[in-house]
């Protein structure tokens, strides 16, 4: 767990002792690179939309992506090369801490490599290893202008060339790193074939003369490309997947990649918290520090509680990812929740902090200005909130009503290669995934007042689903379904927060404050379900019964506020080489 108050990343004190020496060195080197370069340059390059070539040069020089993103199978015996979700998460958080643009270059490299590492094509794998070792980045050529990420429809067509290979023609849209990636995994279809057999994933290189970068689609530092292939030669050595395997590779890659969004959000929100508490706590208004005002303290305490909740949930989800196997696919629920819930929590944290500092948040030399703009992107990447909620809904019956025993999942910070992620198998059968008993986890913390209050709310949700289950029409009503799933998501979210709080020894006061927030969130979601056009009168009564005021404790609140206040001055980014 990173240093500071034990739960928040603080670059000044960052020394992740649980990692091996090379991982520690690379994570520290990344922090040091940003700190030496400085805040002024970070922000100036952001406003000037300067492509981060210097960052990619640092990545190449240190072998950063090559070390972290080469699976052990392809690492030629190098013990530092492995796909280790714990350290992937750590780097995602650090890059998010310094800026979405740098995180994004890493994120789309993760996605671009997904289809390669799931492939049995050893020649293509070796090519990707060499490209990474040379400092190259990757891109994920899936979405298209007319179809978005609808992988049933693709206009990237491969036509046989008469010599055992193909010529690929078509365009891709919204492809990060598309201007410079030496490894581009491109999704397409074979001409003249119908059904699932038509799909194909192949390996391309943005440096090839038949690869044409049309433009950058976003006004930002990152390059989000539209590119076209015109008679691009595709040989047998370039084919990564065909048929149903290509389809599965697309979905499983997104499973792996979207997990990083939550850690990017945690990093961004953490940096913003340091900046805003330091500003507000030292600013005098009407003869008082701004932080003397009760509403300001409330917003800071809520932001802090939400941020710690994000951290606890996401850290625990790592363990389920790393311990996954064909008989334990619980990660398939926790994953879309990290994506949908933690990223929207990051938005809320930054919204609360923006409220506190008000006009200061619009000044061009503030990190907060970058964070406000960029944080909105995270919930919309790798499937919108609605797409991920629809996915979460598939797990609801088994989770709530049909638990089964599992051996305890340990904390997974060991230097292991998470090879199962690249052999997840068919992306189906989600309703068959089973979970351990959520009630037992909540019961273990029942002495904490707001955990008890929230548990009662969860039981009201179970009553609703038992006594007034959605009818056929409601089951087909996505708007109703999303509102219902929002409530279910909170139950799962709270469960993993409690598991991780127990593991790392978070005190009851902080857990209570986190659940104060969750009780209020459940209330808001319950009202949302009550107000849906198709909610029946019986359902309205049952869900309104779930609404309960959080347990108020002024002493507890003040204790948590003191922890937030102690973060004032705890971290301030170095201005840069010419500014001390």
């Amino acid at each position: 767990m990173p240093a500071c108050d034990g739960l928040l990343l603080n670059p000044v004190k960052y020394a992740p002792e649980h990692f091996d020496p090379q991982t520690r060195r690379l994570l520290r080197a990344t922090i040091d690179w940003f700190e030496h370069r400085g805040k002024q340059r970070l922000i100036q390059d952001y406003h000037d939309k300067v492509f981060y070539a210097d960052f990619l040069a640092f990545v190449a020089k240190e072998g950063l992506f090559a070390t972290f993103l080469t699976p052990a199978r392809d690492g030629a015996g190098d013990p530092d090369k492995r796909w280790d979700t714990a350290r992937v998460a750590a780097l995602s958080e650090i890059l998010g801490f310094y800026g979405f643009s740098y995180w994004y270059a890493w994120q789309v490299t993760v996605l671009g490599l997904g289809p390669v590492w799931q492939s049995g094509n050893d020649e293509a794998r070796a090519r990707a290893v060499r490209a990474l070792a040379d400092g190259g980045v990757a891109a994920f050529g899936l979405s298209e202008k007319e179809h978005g990420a609808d992988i049933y429809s693709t206009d990237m067509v491969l036509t046989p060339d008469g010599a055992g290979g193909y010529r690929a023609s078509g365009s891709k849209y919204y492809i990060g790193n598309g201007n410079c990636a030496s490894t581009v995994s491109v999704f397409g279809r074979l001409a003249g074939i119908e059904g699932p057999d038509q799909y194909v994933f192949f390996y391309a290189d943005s440096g090839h003369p038949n690869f044409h970068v049309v433009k950058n689609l976003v006004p930002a530092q990152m390059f989000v490309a539209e590119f076209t292939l015109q008679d691009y030669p595709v040989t047998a050595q370039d084919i990564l997947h065909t048929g149903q395997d290509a389809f599965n590779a697309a979905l499983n890659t997104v499973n792996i990649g979207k997990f990083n969004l939550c850690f990017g959000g945690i990093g961004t929100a953490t940096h913003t918290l340091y900046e805003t508490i330091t500003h507000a706590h030292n600013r005098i208004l009407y003869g008082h520090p701004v932080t003397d005002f009760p509403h300001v303290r409330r917003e800071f305490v809520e932001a802090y509680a939400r941020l710690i909740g994000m951290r606890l949930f996401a850290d625990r989800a790592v363990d389920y990812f790393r311990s996954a196997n064909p008989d334990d696919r619980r990660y398939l629920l926790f994953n879309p929740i990290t994506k949908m819930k933690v990223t929207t929590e990051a938005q809320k944290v930054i919204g609360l902090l923006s409220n506190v500092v008000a006009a200061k948040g619009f000044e061009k030399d503030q990190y907060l200005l970058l964070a406000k703009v960029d944080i909105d992107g995270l919930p919309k990447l790798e499937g919108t909130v609605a797409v991920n909620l629809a996915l979460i809904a598939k797990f609801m019956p088994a989770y709530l009503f049909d638990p089964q025993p599992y051996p305890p999942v340990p904390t997974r910070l060991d230097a292991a290669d998470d090879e199962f992620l690249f052999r997840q198998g068919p992306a189906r059968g989600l309703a068959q995934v089973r979970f351990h008993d959520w009630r037992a986890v909540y019961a273990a913390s029942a002495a904490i007042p707001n955990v008890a209050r929230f548990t009662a709310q969860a039981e009201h949700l179970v009553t609703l689903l038992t006594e007034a289950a959605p009818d056929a029409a409601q089951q087909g009503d996505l708007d109703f379904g999303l509102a219902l799933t929002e409530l279910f998501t909170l139950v799962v979210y709270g469960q993993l927060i409690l598991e991780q709080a127990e593991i790392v020894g978070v005190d009851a006061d902080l857990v209570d404050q986190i659940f104060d927030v969750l009780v209020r969130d459940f209330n808001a979601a319950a009202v949302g379900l009550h107000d849906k056009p198709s909610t029946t009168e019986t359902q309205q009564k049952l869900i309104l019964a779930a609404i309960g005021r959080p347990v108020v404790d002024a002493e507890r609140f003040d204790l948590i506020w003191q922890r937030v206040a102690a973060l004032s001055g705890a971290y301030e980014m170095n201005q840069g080489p010419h500014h001390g």
Side-chain angles (χ1 to χ4, degrees):
M1 197 57 66
C4 185
D5 68 352
L7 290 167
L8 295 180
L9 167 64
N10 183 344
V12 178
K13 303 175 182 176
Y14 189 71
E17 296 301 329
H18 51 269
F19 287 130
D20 61 276
Q22 178 67 341
T23 299
R24 285 205 303 270
R25 188 193 74 74
L26 285 168
L27 293 172
R28 187 70 244 178
T30 304
I31 287 172
D32 291 344
W33 183 82
F34 280 107
E35 291 291 339
H36 175 75
R37 188 162 163 265
K39 185 175 184 179
Q40 192 178 54
R41 172 82 183 275
L42 183 90
I43 289 173
Q44 194 63 48
D45 280 4
Y46 179 90
H47 292 311
D48 293 344
K49 304 175 181 58
V50 176
F51 183 67
Y52 34 69
D54 57 342
F55 172 64
L56 296 183
F58 161 77
V59 166
K61 175 174 149 300
E62 293 290 348
L64 180 62
F65 291 3
T67 304
F68 277 37
L69 300 182
T70 305
R73 157 180 175 178
D74 302 279
D78 181 344
D80 294 317
K81 289 189 172 171
R82 62 183 184 277
W83 194 288
D84 172 340
T85 302
R87 66 178 188 175
V88 166
L91 183 57
S92 296
E93 183 181 1
I94 288 168
L95 295 177
F97 188 94
Y98 288 107
F100 184 77
S101 299
Y102 308 95
W103 170 88
Y104 185 74
W106 152 257
Q107 167 67 2
V108 288
T109 297
V110 168
L111 292 169
L113 292 168
V116 181
W117 301 148
Q118 290 175 71
S119 174
N121 181 338
D122 286 333
E123 204 162 320
R125 294 176 74 105
R127 181 178 166 190
V129 169
R130 288 193 301 272
L132 275 174
D134 290 341
V137 294
F140 188 49
L142 184 67
S143 63
E144 297 181 12
K145 188 171 187 176
E146 300 308 323
H147 307 294
D150 171 9
I151 55 180
Y152 293 96
S153 311
T154 173
D155 295 329
M156 176 66 70
V157 180
L158 282 74
T159 310
D161 64 2
Y166 301 91
R167 292 278 170 168
S169 292
S171 70
K172 292 289 175 180
Y173 199 79
Y174 224 84
I175 311 301
N177 290 351
N179 61 323
C180 62
S182 42
T183 302
V184 186
S185 296
V186 184
F187 187 77
R189 61 182 170 87
L190 300 173
I193 295 179
E194 295 299 316
D197 288 346
Q198 68 184 307
Y199 299 121
V200 62
F201 247 121
F202 62 96
Y203 195 127
D205 182 345
S206 68
H208 192 282
N210 295 31
F211 188 112
H212 303 284
V213 177
V214 179
K215 63 183 174 188
N216 187 0
L217 295 165
V218 297
Q221 280 185 271
M222 68 270 267
F223 202 105
V224 184
E226 177 182 6
F227 73 76
T228 61
L229 303 184
Q230 292 171 337
D231 288 329
Y232 188 101
V234 179
T235 66
Q237 289 80 27
D238 300 319
I239 300 289
L240 299 170
H241 302 274
T242 56
Q244 187 64 43
D245 287 345
F247 195 82
N248 290 335
L251 294 175
N252 290 337
T253 292
V254 173
N255 272 344
I256 297 163
K258 72 182 173 189
F259 190 57
N260 298 327
L261 281 94
C262 67
F263 286 97
I266 290 166
T268 304
T270 303
H271 193 156
T272 306
L273 176 61
Y274 286 125
E275 185 181 75
T276 52
I277 187 63
T278 301
H279 166 74
H281 204 47
N282 293 286
R283 182 167 166 79
I284 306 296
L285 276 184
Y286 312 112
H288 294 273
V290 167
T291 49
D292 277 4
F293 296 106
H295 67 290
V296 169
R297 290 190 177 188
R298 177 184 56 76
E299 288 179 313
F300 267 124
V301 167
E302 181 175 334
Y304 179 77
R306 287 189 186 278
L307 180 54
I308 299 300
M310 292 157 62
R311 151 115 278 145
L312 295 172
F313 181 88
D315 281 350
R316 185 59 175 148
V318 167
D319 302 334
Y320 286 94
F321 248 69
R322 302 197 73 195
S323 298
N325 59 61
D327 300 318
D328 181 359
R329 300 199 297 158
R330 286 175 284 178
Y331 75 100
L332 289 173
L333 168 60
F334 305 143
N335 189 29
I337 292 179
T338 57
K339 158 64 186 78
M340 162 265 169
K341 180 69 181 160
V342 179
T343 60
T344 53
E345 286 293 283
Q347 283 181 304
K348 287 176 186 170
V349 170
I350 286 167
L352 288 161
L353 299 172
S354 301
N355 288 346
V356 170
V357 300
K360 186 76 179 171
F362 295 94
E363 293 179 16
K364 65 181 181 182
D365 62 350
Q366 295 297 295
Y367 177 85
L368 175 57
L369 181 60
L370 284 57
K372 283 198 299 187
V373 173
D374 288 341
I375 205 66
D376 279 348
L378 287 178
K380 299 167 183 69
L381 295 172
E382 276 61 272
T384 61
V385 168
V387 165
N388 281 283
L389 273 170
L391 181 57
I392 291 162
K394 296 177 193 246
F395 299 97
M396 188 160 24
Y399 177 95
L400 289 175
F401 297 104
D402 193 13
Q404 71 168 43
Y406 279 96
V409 169
T411 299
R412 293 294 309 276
L413 296 168
D414 47 311
D417 184 67
D418 300 337
E419 48 86 31
F420 173 72
L421 295 179
F422 301 104
R423 53 175 185 87
Q424 293 177 55
R428 60 173 184 264
L430 303 185
Q432 275 73 57
V433 176
R434 288 291 173 272
F435 299 88
H436 55 302
D437 185 1
W438 60 278
R439 285 188 171 97
V441 179
Y442 278 96
S445 297
I448 300 173
N450 281 306
V451 174
R453 183 70 40 103
F454 183 82
T455 307
Q457 292 179 310
E459 293 293 356
H460 279 291
L461 173 63
V462 172
T463 303
L464 170 78
L465 292 169
T466 309
E467 296 181 9
D471 60 25
Q474 287 175 322
Q475 287 176 34
D477 176 354
L478 187 60
D479 193 41
F480 175 88
L482 294 178
L484 188 63
T485 309
E486 194 86 51
L487 291 160
F488 169 59
T489 298
L490 286 164
V491 179
V492 186
Y493 192 64
Q495 182 201 325
L496 260 58
I497 288 173
L498 289 175
E499 287 186 17
Q500 186 68 5
E502 175 70 25
I503 289 165
V504 300
V506 177
D507 59 281
D509 286 318
L510 182 49
V511 174
D512 205 12
Q513 196 64 49
I514 291 167
F515 274 81
D516 172 289
V517 172
L518 292 187
V519 168
R520 287 185 281 118
D521 286 352
F522 198 98
N523 289 340
V527 172
L529 181 65
H530 170 275
D531 293 350
K532 289 298 169 193
S534 62
T535 306
T536 66
E537 273 190 45
T538 306
Q539 289 168 336
Q540 289 171 46
K541 283 191 184 119
L542 288 169
I543 203 58
L544 284 184
I547 293 177
R549 187 166 180 252
V551 180
V552 177
D553 182 335
E555 201 176 323
R556 177 197 76 223
F557 178 91
D558 193 55
L559 199 75
I560 304 304
W561 159 245
Q562 295 303 332
R563 291 187 204 179
V564 182
L567 296 174
S568 173
Y571 166 78
E572 202 163 341
M573 189 172 177
N574 180 36
Q575 287 298 320
H578 307 301
H579 299 271

